[in-house]
Amino acid sequence: EYVLEIGTGSGLLSMMASDAGAKKVITCEASQPIAEAAKRIIEKNGYSDRIEVINKKSTELNVGKDLEKKADLIISEILSSEFVGEGVQRSLSDANQRLIKENGRMIPEAGEIKVALLESSPEIEQEIFVQRVNGYDLSEFNNIMGKKFSLHYLGRKTKTSFLSEVKVPFFFDFYSKDIIYRKEKILEIESTRSGICLGLITWLKLNLYENINFENKPNEKSTSGWVHPIYKFNQPLKISKGQLIKVKAILMKDKVWYEFI
């Protein structure tokens, strides 16, 4: 198979594709230092005759020049922790229109954003809220602090628990040629038990191929390079079982945002 990888990174996926039977892999990388490093890694591992690294964005590739033909398979990992931050919509929409053959395959094929109400824990609350410092109450400062936090160690050292069922505000079909420039959705999230809620925690689920999925759910054993964004209340909120929390979920081309209403 003739394979195109969008976003070379270290070259790992390209080498895995070659080992899985790809006759030729073309991999593109926008960053010159990363592309050069990937070339050295690919050469060091003995794949230079089967993998070609091109220092371009996928949207700048041309069939007949950079690619000898349209790809049978396109593989990519150009997702941010909030899903859309690295231009995945624009890149895959363009790839579907220009770079993949009819009935060609994508890996991953689809994905979705998941959200749930996050229960307070001492470690997380201390990380994202200011309360008392040296005996002084500084909690009012939380009202002017940023609403979004990313905890890198979440799900590894820190125990996280939810106060609601999981909701899916947005779903993405990677075979789509359409770009969602703006979409808003009002989520009514019902608390499943009483507790102190810090806000909303988000994560990703990917449909890699047919029935093979990957999910970086907080506290799951599998680790990933993605962090878990938290959209917090101004102050920790005491909620009771059955209480409805309304959230406006806003999806833009390269950004997603959540507001409590």
Side-chain angles (χ1 to χ4, degrees):
E1 289 203 332
Y2 192 66
V3 175
L4 169 64
E5 181 192 18
I6 299 176
T8 310
S10 67
L12 177 62
L13 289 183
S14 286
M15 293 186 288
M16 292 173 71
S18 183
D19 283 342
K23 289 188 175 69
K24 181 72 176 179
V25 181
I26 305 294
T27 176
C28 63
E29 172 57 55
S31 164
Q32 185 176 359
I34 294 175
E36 293 301 324
K39 285 179 185 177
R40 293 193 296 270
I41 290 169
I42 287 164
E43 184 178 1
K44 184 179 279 189
N45 284 277
Y47 288 86
S48 293
D49 59 330
R50 286 163 284 168
I51 300 172
E52 180 185 350
V53 181
I54 299 176
N55 179 205
K56 283 185 178 181
K57 293 180 180 179
S58 63
T59 51
E60 297 170 350
L61 295 177
N62 289 306
V63 176
K65 182 181 175 185
D66 303 299
L67 302 173
E68 62 183 67
K69 59 181 180 178
K70 291 187 177 183
D72 300 303
L73 170 68
I74 291 180
I75 58 177
S76 64
E77 194 292 273
I78 48 173
L79 299 171
S80 67
S81 295
E82 60 177 21
F83 206 105
V84 293
E86 295 180 15
V88 63
Q89 287 203 91
R90 182 174 61 253
S91 298
L92 294 188
S93 169
D94 174 72
N96 271 297
Q97 293 178 68
R98 301 190 308 111
L99 305 177
I100 194 169
K101 73 174 190 181
E102 193 174 348
N103 299 320
R105 301 303 294 260
M106 287 267 188
I107 296 178
E109 297 186 320
E112 60 191 21
I113 302 173
K114 293 192 167 189
V115 303
L117 296 178
L118 176 64
E119 184 174 25
S120 177
S121 73
E123 298 92 345
I124 301 174
E125 189 168 330
Q126 181 181 341
E127 191 74 20
I128 68 175
F129 287 99
V130 178
Q131 299 299 351
R132 299 190 77 85
V133 177
N134 293 339
Y136 301 103
D137 183 352
L138 303 183
S139 60
E140 187 62 30
F141 206 73
N142 291 308
N143 295 320
I144 62 168
M145 289 174 65
K147 296 292 185 287
K148 180 187 171 187
F149 287 82
S150 296
L151 294 186
H152 292 261
Y153 57 79
L154 214 55
R156 296 174 194 175
K157 300 176 184 175
T158 306
K159 178 69 177 172
T160 55
S161 54
F162 305 150
L163 289 172
S164 72
E165 296 296 322
V166 175
K167 294 272 191 180
V168 177
F170 302 113
F171 172 84
F172 302 85
D173 175 5
F174 292 153
Y175 291 108
S176 174
K177 294 176 178 156
D178 299 324
I179 296 175
I180 302 169
Y181 286 95
R182 187 174 180 93
K183 187 174 185 179
E184 293 186 11
K185 186 181 285 188
I186 303 297
L187 306 175
E188 290 195 341
I189 307 177
E190 183 177 349
S191 60
T192 50
R193 54 194 176 87
S194 300
I196 304 296
C197 185
L198 300 181
L200 203 67
I201 187 167
T202 80
W203 67 97
L204 315 178
K205 182 178 180 182
L206 297 177
N207 173 216
L208 298 173
Y209 181 78
E210 294 183 351
N211 296 319
I212 302 171
N213 297 297
F214 171 82
E215 184 173 353
N216 70 326
K217 188 175 181 180
N219 280 342
E220 298 276 311
K221 286 185 179 178
S222 61
T223 58
S224 75
W226 293 303
V227 299
H228 297 99
I230 294 171
Y231 295 81
K232 73 180 188 72
F233 297 120
N234 281 350
Q235 305 283 355
L237 182 67
K238 188 175 183 179
I239 61 175
S240 53
K241 183 179 179 180
Q243 185 173 340
L244 283 180
I245 302 294
K246 283 191 174 184
V247 178
K248 180 193 281 189
I250 306 163
L251 173 65
M252 291 157 276
K253 185 178 68 169
D254 293 319
K255 187 178 179 182
V256 65
W257 193 256
Y258 304 91
E259 295 176 359
F260 296 99
I261 56 178

